[in-house]
Amino acid sequence: MDRANIVIVGGGVVGCAVARAVSRRWSDVFLVEQMPRLGMGASTRNSGVIHSGIYYPPGSLKARMCVEGNRLLYEFCSLHRIPHRNCGKLVIAHDTRQEAELEHLAENGRANGVTGLRIVDRAAVRAREPHIEAAFALEVPSTGIVSAEDLIKTLARIAVDQGASLLTRTRVVRLEPRADSIAVTLVEGDASEGDQLSEETVEARCVINCAGLYADEIAALLGNRDYRIYPVRGEYCELVRAKSHLINNLVYPLPHADGLSLGVHLTRTLWDTVLVGPTADYVAEKTDYERNRLPIEEFVRRAKSMLPEIEASDLQLAYSGIRAKLVPPGHAGIADFVIARDQIVPRAIQLIGIESPGLTSSLAIAEHVAKLAGEVLQ
Ligand SMILES: Cc1cc2nc3c(=O)[nH]c(=O)nc-3n(C[C@H](O)[C@H](O)[C@H](O)COP(=O)(O)OP(=O)(O)OC[C@H]3O[C@@H](n4cnc5c(N)ncnc54)[C@H](O)[C@@H]3O)c2cc1C
């Protein structure tokens, strides 16, 4: 049986960031990803926004990881020439009641350490976004966008250069705690591709669960049934090329009061396309990206108050992603990230409910997890 210091389950942006952070310090680090390539889950099915940290309750892990992750991500992207843009964003309001909500958001952001926030008037909005209708807006200068694919590739390359082994098409199917290790059983190959499947067991001193939507199932393999992840689909449309001039940067409505999502927003990407979305709807299955997609008219309805001239003929359907929510359907509130050593099997580190702002937070999460790994491997 092979031995490892660390086995990371899941090769999304979080798993890859963790692989980079822990392989700086330890040898025999393995990352295991079931898909043919890294980052095929939520990590490349999102808005690519580098969030500032204005939304999350002060003191929460989401607030701390987002604000710190924002800083680390800009530094990392500049150092490694990863395509990104610190373009700032506007959160818009249509009347004085909504302006008061912008003030609350700004106060919350300041409490989280976000700087440069200020409320601007209609003329200032028009100067930046001539086609946007708003009475007021909150300017958030530290928001930006990043190429998630390039970020993941760079993290993976550095982890490999530092000696980590990154295995794709390999699935973790069993986790068995032993006296001073966890036996991790892997199945290599893809049955749907006609591959010959092979099974192997690695004895790991530490297991890090970065399995995204499936993190509850990985925790359950260790006997921990405290968590349940509810998949919430976010669908996008895209402005047709001829209309992409309508938006210069990022424009958001006020977030949903129930905490479900930030609301359908407008995102100019690094490739000069403009995304409209994502929506937020609970779905029954974690693999259900496409069934019963919303009609284009629904995106027009949600974006119209921000961008009055938008018409159905300006939009085409784009991709969708699935959020790993800890809040069940019918309940309101923001659940915090869970990042902790398992209570029953403390040589396992659980990362559960890593929904937005997980992309922004990935480098800060990785540093935090590396400290927990240090406790396990001391
Ligand atoms: C619609 C949408 C928009 C978003 N927008 C933003 C945004 O603008 N900014 C932002 O900061 N965040 C955003 N997010 C959140 C962000 O995308 C996620 O928080 C982040 O990608 C989570 O990364 P991850 O590595 O934890 O998960 P994932 O990328 O889902 O990776 C988990 C990986 O684990 C693998 N895996 C699972 N089970 C096993 C197993 N048994 N064996 C082997 N491998 C396994 C999966 O195949 C998967 O690749 C958005 C998310 C969505 C869905």
Side-chain angles (χ1 to χ4, degrees):
M1 188 184 290
D2 277 341
R3 291 184 154 269
N5 275 321
I6 298 177
V7 170
I8 300 160
V9 189
V13 69
V14 174
C16 291
V18 168
R20 165 184 173 259
V22 297
S23 59
R24 266 198 310 246
R25 187 162 158 201
W26 291 283
S27 59
D28 299 320
V29 170
F30 292 82
L31 177 147
V32 182
E33 168 55 52
Q34 63 189 355
M35 303 296 278
R37 292 193 315 277
L38 301 169
M40 292 179 77
S43 294
T44 53
R45 292 171 165 274
N46 55 48
S47 308
V49 172
I50 304 175
H51 285 298
S52 62
I54 57 174
Y55 297 106
Y56 320 106
S60 63
L61 268 178
K62 276 188 177 170
R64 285 164 39 209
M65 296 293 122
C66 185
V67 173
E68 178 63 1
N70 172 294
R71 187 184 65 76
L72 292 175
L73 195 48
Y74 282 121
E75 271 176 27
F76 187 80
C77 288
S78 300
L79 187 64
H80 296 284
R81 297 171 189 273
I82 295 165
H84 71 291
R85 191 165 64 218
N86 179 195
C87 51
K89 84 169 175 183
L90 296 175
V91 185
I92 64 160
H94 293 295
D95 52 37
T96 47
R97 188 187 55 78
Q98 289 194 339
E99 187 200 5
E101 291 183 49
L102 290 184
E103 291 284 4
H104 281 305
L105 207 50
E107 269 168 38
N108 196 71
R110 289 185 194 110
N112 288 340
V114 182
T115 55
L117 299 171
R118 63 176 190 141
I119 308 247
V120 297
D121 64 9
R122 183 186 301 273
V125 172
R126 282 279 156 144
R128 285 182 54 170
E129 296 285 355
H131 301 274
I132 287 293
E133 172 55 39
F136 308 95
L138 176 64
E139 249 182 25
V140 189
S142 57
T143 303
I145 46 171
V146 60
S147 164
E149 254 180 66
D150 289 291
L151 172 62
I152 292 165
K153 276 188 196 148
T154 306
L155 291 167
R157 180 177 49 72
I158 297 173
V160 169
D161 288 349
Q162 292 174 164
S165 304
L166 276 48
L167 316 172
T168 51
R169 285 185 206 273
T170 307
R171 190 173 150 77
V172 172
V173 292
R174 259 190 325 275
L175 294 170
E176 292 157 276
R178 303 260 165 90
D180 55 3
S181 66
I182 297 171
V184 183
T185 303
L186 313 171
V187 170
E188 291 165 53
D190 188 343
S192 65
E193 300 273 305
D195 293 353
Q196 186 86 37
L197 301 183
S198 66
E199 200 172 287
E200 191 187 337
T201 300
V202 179
E203 206 161 305
R205 293 175 66 208
C206 175
V207 168
I208 305 177
N209 176 3
C210 300
L213 271 175
Y214 301 90
D216 54 346
E217 297 171 35
I218 294 296
L221 291 181
L222 280 167
N224 184 338
R225 293 178 204 285
D226 289 351
Y227 306 107
R228 172 142 184 221
I229 288 173
Y230 301 91
V232 172
R233 185 161 74 191
E235 301 177 27
Y236 292 91
C237 269
E238 201 174 276
L239 285 181
V240 294
R241 275 280 169 193
K243 295 293 172 128
S244 61
H245 65 279
L246 294 178
I247 296 296
N248 290 327
N249 280 306
L250 310 184
V251 183
Y252 281 60
L254 280 159
H256 286 173
D258 61 7
L260 182 62
S261 84
L262 301 183
V264 163
H265 45 264
L266 305 161
T267 307
R268 188 173 194 91
T269 69
L270 289 163
W271 301 272
D272 286 333
T273 57
V274 174
L275 295 171
V276 181
T279 55
D281 293 288
Y282 284 88
V283 286
E285 284 161 30
K286 291 174 177 175
T287 50
D288 183 6
Y289 288 99
E290 290 298 330
R291 231 176 323 148
N292 302 323
R293 287 283 308 254
L294 290 167
I296 281 179
E297 288 69 23
E298 191 50 35
F299 291 84
V300 174
R301 192 181 69 73
R302 298 192 197 182
K304 194 108 184 150
S305 65
M306 292 188 285
L307 186 59
E309 61 198 271
I310 194 172
E311 301 293 344
S313 56
D314 299 338
L315 287 172
Q316 57 203 20
L317 283 184
Y319 58 93
S320 61
I322 301 187
R323 301 171 180 85
K325 280 265 171 209
L326 282 169
V327 177
H331 289 67
I334 299 178
D336 204 1
F337 291 154
V338 175
I339 306 173
R341 292 175 67 186
D342 189 87
Q343 289 196 343
I344 300 157
V345 187
R347 59 178 64 254
I349 300 169
Q350 307 285 9
L351 286 80
I352 322 261
I354 312 297
E355 52 165 337
S356 190
L359 174 67
T360 308
S361 308
S362 52
L363 297 177
I365 291 175
E367 294 307 321
H368 186 59
V369 168
K371 284 199 192 104
L372 297 175
E375 290 174 19
V376 177
L377 297 173
Q378 65 190 350

